[in-house]
Short mmCIF file of all heavy atoms in Angstrom, two decimals:
data_model
loop_
_atom_site.label_atom_id
_atom_site.label_comp_id
_atom_site.label_asym_id
_atom_site.label_seq_id
_atom_site.Cartn_x
_atom_site.Cartn_y
_atom_site.Cartn_z
N SER V 1 49.75 -208.62 117.90
CA SER V 1 49.48 -209.90 118.63
C SER V 1 48.12 -210.40 118.29
O SER V 1 47.67 -210.28 117.13
CB SER V 1 49.74 -209.61 120.13
OG SER V 1 48.86 -208.76 120.59
N ALA V 2 47.36 -210.78 119.37
CA ALA V 2 45.97 -211.17 119.11
C ALA V 2 45.07 -210.05 118.80
O ALA V 2 43.91 -210.25 118.40
CB ALA V 2 45.53 -211.95 120.29
N GLN V 3 45.57 -208.81 118.80
CA GLN V 3 44.76 -207.59 118.55
C GLN V 3 45.07 -207.12 117.07
O GLN V 3 46.18 -207.03 116.59
CB GLN V 3 45.07 -206.53 119.49
CG GLN V 3 45.08 -206.89 120.96
CD GLN V 3 43.80 -207.54 121.41
OE1 GLN V 3 42.69 -207.10 120.92
NE2 GLN V 3 43.74 -208.50 122.26
N ALA V 4 44.05 -206.60 116.43
CA ALA V 4 44.21 -205.98 115.17
C ALA V 4 44.55 -204.57 115.39
O ALA V 4 44.41 -204.00 116.42
CB ALA V 4 42.93 -206.10 114.25
N ALA V 5 45.07 -203.84 114.33
CA ALA V 5 45.43 -202.45 114.30
C ALA V 5 45.06 -201.75 113.16
O ALA V 5 44.90 -202.42 112.02
CB ALA V 5 46.98 -202.21 114.64
N THR V 6 44.80 -200.46 113.20
CA THR V 6 44.58 -199.63 112.00
C THR V 6 45.82 -198.82 111.73
O THR V 6 46.48 -198.26 112.70
CB THR V 6 43.38 -198.63 112.32
OG1 THR V 6 42.25 -199.40 112.61
CG2 THR V 6 43.14 -197.77 111.14
N ILE V 7 46.22 -198.80 110.45
CA ILE V 7 47.37 -198.03 110.09
C ILE V 7 46.85 -196.92 109.21
O ILE V 7 46.17 -197.19 108.15
CB ILE V 7 48.40 -198.94 109.36
CG1 ILE V 7 48.84 -200.10 110.39
CG2 ILE V 7 49.63 -198.10 108.96
CD1 ILE V 7 49.62 -201.19 109.78
N THR V 8 47.22 -195.74 109.47
CA THR V 8 46.69 -194.57 108.81
C THR V 8 47.69 -193.52 108.63
O THR V 8 48.88 -193.54 109.18
CB THR V 8 45.41 -194.00 109.38
OG1 THR V 8 44.76 -193.05 108.59
CG2 THR V 8 45.71 -193.45 110.84
N THR V 9 47.47 -192.46 107.76
CA THR V 9 48.39 -191.30 107.69
C THR V 9 47.62 -190.11 108.16
O THR V 9 46.33 -190.03 108.10
CB THR V 9 48.84 -191.11 106.27
OG1 THR V 9 47.68 -190.96 105.40
CG2 THR V 9 49.65 -192.41 105.74
N ALA V 10 48.38 -189.13 108.53
CA ALA V 10 47.70 -187.75 108.90
C ALA V 10 47.16 -187.14 107.58
O ALA V 10 45.97 -186.97 107.50
CB ALA V 10 48.72 -186.91 109.55
N THR V 11 48.00 -186.96 106.62
CA THR V 11 47.56 -186.36 105.36
C THR V 11 48.33 -186.98 104.14
O THR V 11 47.92 -186.78 103.01
CB THR V 11 47.72 -184.80 105.34
OG1 THR V 11 49.11 -184.51 105.41
CG2 THR V 11 46.89 -184.13 106.28
N ASP V 12 49.41 -187.70 104.41
CA ASP V 12 50.15 -188.29 103.33
C ASP V 12 49.32 -189.39 102.71
O ASP V 12 48.29 -189.81 103.15
CB ASP V 12 51.50 -188.87 103.85
CG ASP V 12 52.49 -187.82 104.26
OD1 ASP V 12 52.18 -186.60 104.00
OD2 ASP V 12 53.55 -188.08 104.83
N THR V 13 49.93 -189.98 101.56
CA THR V 13 49.16 -191.05 100.86
C THR V 13 49.75 -192.43 101.28
O THR V 13 50.96 -192.56 101.30
CB THR V 13 49.35 -190.79 99.30
OG1 THR V 13 48.84 -189.54 98.99
CG2 THR V 13 48.70 -191.88 98.51
N LEU V 14 48.86 -193.35 101.63
CA LEU V 14 49.22 -194.70 101.96
C LEU V 14 48.74 -195.64 100.90
O LEU V 14 47.48 -195.78 100.74
CB LEU V 14 48.75 -195.05 103.30
CG LEU V 14 49.07 -196.50 103.86
CD1 LEU V 14 50.67 -196.64 104.02
CD2 LEU V 14 48.42 -196.71 105.12
N ILE V 15 49.63 -196.37 100.15
CA ILE V 15 49.27 -197.21 99.02
C ILE V 15 49.45 -198.63 99.47
O ILE V 15 50.52 -199.02 99.96
CB ILE V 15 50.17 -196.83 97.80
CG1 ILE V 15 49.90 -195.42 97.42
CG2 ILE V 15 49.72 -197.79 96.71
CD1 ILE V 15 50.84 -194.92 96.21
N LEU V 16 48.49 -199.46 99.16
CA LEU V 16 48.65 -200.95 99.41
C LEU V 16 49.49 -201.49 98.30
O LEU V 16 49.08 -201.55 97.08
CB LEU V 16 47.24 -201.56 99.44
CG LEU V 16 47.27 -203.07 99.72
CD1 LEU V 16 48.05 -203.50 101.08
CD2 LEU V 16 45.86 -203.60 99.76
N GLY V 17 50.66 -201.99 98.65
CA GLY V 17 51.65 -202.63 97.67
C GLY V 17 50.97 -203.75 96.92
O GLY V 17 50.22 -204.56 97.45
N GLY V 18 51.22 -203.88 95.56
CA GLY V 18 50.62 -205.02 94.83
C GLY V 18 49.22 -204.82 94.35
O GLY V 18 48.69 -205.50 93.53
N VAL V 19 48.59 -203.77 94.95
CA VAL V 19 47.11 -203.67 94.63
C VAL V 19 46.97 -202.18 94.13
O VAL V 19 46.24 -201.95 93.16
CB VAL V 19 46.22 -203.81 95.81
CG1 VAL V 19 44.76 -203.55 95.54
CG2 VAL V 19 46.40 -205.26 96.41
N GLY V 20 47.53 -201.17 94.81
CA GLY V 20 47.47 -199.75 94.34
C GLY V 20 46.42 -198.94 94.97
O GLY V 20 46.24 -197.86 94.73
N THR V 21 45.51 -199.56 95.80
CA THR V 21 44.45 -198.84 96.45
C THR V 21 45.09 -197.94 97.49
O THR V 21 46.07 -198.26 98.09
CB THR V 21 43.41 -199.73 97.10
OG1 THR V 21 44.01 -200.70 97.93
CG2 THR V 21 42.64 -200.50 95.94
N VAL V 22 44.45 -196.83 97.82
CA VAL V 22 44.91 -195.82 98.68
C VAL V 22 44.01 -195.65 99.87
O VAL V 22 42.81 -195.75 99.71
CB VAL V 22 45.00 -194.40 97.95
CG1 VAL V 22 45.37 -193.28 98.84
CG2 VAL V 22 45.93 -194.49 96.77
N GLY V 23 44.62 -195.50 101.03
CA GLY V 23 43.83 -195.23 102.26
C GLY V 23 44.24 -196.01 103.40
O GLY V 23 45.24 -196.72 103.34
N SER V 24 43.59 -195.80 104.58
CA SER V 24 43.95 -196.52 105.83
C SER V 24 43.80 -197.95 105.66
O SER V 24 43.12 -198.49 104.82
CB SER V 24 43.00 -196.01 106.89
OG SER V 24 43.24 -194.68 107.22
N ARG V 25 44.59 -198.76 106.39
CA ARG V 25 44.62 -200.22 106.34
C ARG V 25 44.36 -200.81 107.73
O ARG V 25 44.66 -200.19 108.72
CB ARG V 25 45.99 -200.69 105.76
CG ARG V 25 46.23 -200.32 104.42
CD ARG V 25 45.30 -201.07 103.34
NE ARG V 25 45.11 -200.20 102.21
CZ ARG V 25 44.01 -200.30 101.42
NH1 ARG V 25 43.08 -201.14 101.70
NH2 ARG V 25 43.94 -199.48 100.39
N THR V 26 43.98 -202.07 107.69
CA THR V 26 43.77 -202.86 108.92
C THR V 26 44.81 -203.91 108.86
O THR V 26 45.06 -204.55 107.84
CB THR V 26 42.33 -203.49 108.97
OG1 THR V 26 41.43 -202.44 109.10
CG2 THR V 26 42.18 -204.32 110.23
N LEU V 27 45.47 -204.05 110.02
CA LEU V 27 46.43 -205.16 110.05
C LEU V 27 45.84 -206.19 111.02
O LEU V 27 45.61 -205.84 112.24
CB LEU V 27 47.72 -204.70 110.63
CG LEU V 27 48.89 -205.75 110.72
CD1 LEU V 27 49.12 -206.49 109.53
CD2 LEU V 27 50.15 -205.12 111.23
N GLY V 28 45.44 -207.24 110.61
CA GLY V 28 44.68 -208.29 111.40
C GLY V 28 45.54 -208.91 112.42
O GLY V 28 46.79 -208.70 112.51
N SER V 29 44.90 -209.70 113.38
CA SER V 29 45.60 -210.31 114.47
C SER V 29 46.66 -211.20 113.90
O SER V 29 46.61 -211.94 112.84
CB SER V 29 44.59 -211.19 115.17
OG SER V 29 43.58 -210.55 115.69
N TYR V 30 47.87 -211.20 114.60
CA TYR V 30 49.07 -211.93 114.24
C TYR V 30 49.66 -211.61 112.89
O TYR V 30 50.23 -212.38 112.25
CB TYR V 30 48.86 -213.43 114.28
CG TYR V 30 48.39 -213.76 115.79
CD1 TYR V 30 46.99 -214.15 115.91
CD2 TYR V 30 49.16 -213.81 116.82
CE1 TYR V 30 46.49 -214.44 117.21
CE2 TYR V 30 48.59 -214.06 118.07
CZ TYR V 30 47.21 -214.44 118.26
OH TYR V 30 46.80 -214.76 119.52
N GLY V 31 49.42 -210.23 112.53
CA GLY V 31 49.86 -209.83 111.30
C GLY V 31 51.20 -209.16 111.21
O GLY V 31 51.66 -208.80 112.49
N MET V 32 51.91 -209.02 110.12
CA MET V 32 53.11 -208.34 109.97
C MET V 32 53.20 -207.48 108.77
O MET V 32 52.82 -207.95 107.65
CB MET V 32 54.40 -209.38 109.94
CG MET V 32 54.41 -210.26 111.21
SD MET V 32 55.64 -211.53 110.91
CE MET V 32 57.06 -210.69 110.49
N ALA V 33 53.41 -206.15 108.92
CA ALA V 33 53.41 -205.33 107.81
C ALA V 33 54.60 -204.36 107.82
O ALA V 33 55.27 -204.09 108.97
CB ALA V 33 52.16 -204.39 107.85
N THR V 34 54.97 -204.01 106.66
CA THR V 34 56.04 -202.93 106.49
C THR V 34 55.58 -201.78 105.79
O THR V 34 54.80 -201.84 104.83
CB THR V 34 57.26 -203.57 105.59
OG1 THR V 34 57.75 -204.73 106.38
CG2 THR V 34 58.32 -202.55 105.42
N VAL V 35 55.88 -200.54 106.36
CA VAL V 35 55.56 -199.39 105.73
C VAL V 35 56.87 -198.72 105.20
O VAL V 35 57.85 -198.75 106.00
CB VAL V 35 54.71 -198.37 106.52
CG1 VAL V 35 53.35 -198.88 106.81
CG2 VAL V 35 55.44 -198.11 107.93
N MET V 36 56.91 -198.22 104.05
CA MET V 36 58.11 -197.58 103.47
C MET V 36 57.78 -196.32 102.84
O MET V 36 56.83 -196.16 102.06
CB MET V 36 58.83 -198.52 102.42
CG MET V 36 59.97 -197.82 101.78
SD MET V 36 60.72 -198.90 100.51
CE MET V 36 61.51 -200.12 101.49
N LYS V 37 58.50 -195.22 103.11
CA LYS V 37 58.36 -193.96 102.46
C LYS V 37 59.08 -193.97 101.23
O LYS V 37 60.30 -194.14 101.10
CB LYS V 37 58.81 -192.74 103.44
CG LYS V 37 58.51 -191.46 102.91
CD LYS V 37 58.79 -190.39 103.99
CE LYS V 37 58.30 -189.06 103.59
NZ LYS V 37 58.56 -188.02 104.68
N VAL V 38 58.38 -193.74 100.04
CA VAL V 38 58.89 -193.76 98.72
C VAL V 38 59.00 -192.37 98.13
O VAL V 38 59.64 -192.18 97.02
CB VAL V 38 58.12 -194.74 97.84
CG1 VAL V 38 58.27 -196.15 98.34
CG2 VAL V 38 56.75 -194.27 97.64
N ALA V 39 58.38 -191.34 98.65
CA ALA V 39 58.41 -190.04 98.17
C ALA V 39 58.06 -189.18 99.36
O ALA V 39 57.60 -189.63 100.42
CB ALA V 39 57.39 -189.79 96.99
N PRO V 40 58.22 -187.78 99.27
CA PRO V 40 57.90 -186.90 100.46
C PRO V 40 56.63 -187.15 101.12
O PRO V 40 56.52 -187.03 102.34
CB PRO V 40 58.22 -185.46 99.90
CG PRO V 40 59.18 -185.66 98.85
CD PRO V 40 58.78 -186.98 98.21
N THR V 41 55.59 -187.37 100.44
CA THR V 41 54.22 -187.58 100.97
C THR V 41 53.60 -188.89 100.57
O THR V 41 52.38 -189.02 100.67
CB THR V 41 53.33 -186.36 100.62
OG1 THR V 41 53.16 -186.31 99.21
CG2 THR V 41 53.83 -185.10 101.16
N THR V 42 54.39 -189.87 100.24
CA THR V 42 53.84 -191.19 99.81
C THR V 42 54.50 -192.40 100.44
O THR V 42 55.72 -192.41 100.52
CB THR V 42 54.00 -191.38 98.25
OG1 THR V 42 53.52 -190.17 97.58
CG2 THR V 42 53.46 -192.58 97.72
N TRP V 43 53.70 -193.18 101.03
CA TRP V 43 54.15 -194.41 101.68
C TRP V 43 53.49 -195.64 101.08
O TRP V 43 52.34 -195.59 100.55
CB TRP V 43 53.63 -194.34 103.17
CG TRP V 43 54.30 -193.30 103.99
CD1 TRP V 43 54.09 -191.96 103.97
CD2 TRP V 43 55.37 -193.53 104.86
NE1 TRP V 43 54.85 -191.39 104.94
CE2 TRP V 43 55.66 -192.37 105.48
CE3 TRP V 43 56.06 -194.67 105.40
CZ2 TRP V 43 56.69 -192.13 106.48
CZ3 TRP V 43 57.01 -194.52 106.32
CH2 TRP V 43 57.34 -193.27 106.89
N TYR V 44 54.23 -196.80 101.07
CA TYR V 44 53.59 -198.05 100.70
C TYR V 44 53.53 -198.85 101.93
O TYR V 44 54.23 -198.88 102.83
CB TYR V 44 54.50 -198.76 99.63
CG TYR V 44 54.26 -198.30 98.22
CD1 TYR V 44 54.46 -197.07 97.71
CD2 TYR V 44 53.74 -199.35 97.38
CE1 TYR V 44 54.28 -196.75 96.43
CE2 TYR V 44 53.54 -199.01 95.97
CZ TYR V 44 53.75 -197.74 95.62
OH TYR V 44 53.46 -197.44 94.26
N ILE V 45 52.57 -199.79 101.87
CA ILE V 45 52.35 -200.78 102.96
C ILE V 45 52.12 -202.21 102.34
O ILE V 45 51.50 -202.32 101.31
CB ILE V 45 51.22 -200.40 103.85
CG1 ILE V 45 51.11 -201.41 105.08
CG2 ILE V 45 49.92 -200.35 103.15
CD1 ILE V 45 50.14 -201.05 106.15
#
């Protein structure tokens, strides 16, 4: 909603789709994101 959020992993890998950078992400106010598990320890956002 009007609040931003941090999306992170405990130890798995989180990859920003279309860019390829790895790590925690910020989802800004009024944002919409999808996370998908593509391998046992790999997620895309």
Side-chain angles (χ1 to χ4, degrees):
S1 61
Q3 311 299 329
T6 300
I7 302 166
T8 190
T9 61
T11 60
D12 290 356
T13 302
L14 181 62
I15 300 170
L16 180 58
V19 179
T21 54
V22 174
S24 296
R25 295 288 154 206
T26 298
L27 180 58
S29 300
Y30 306 105
M32 296 174 56
T34 299
V35 293
M36 176 185 285
K37 189 170 188 176
V38 298
T41 61
T42 305
W43 292 77
Y44 271 67
I45 184 170

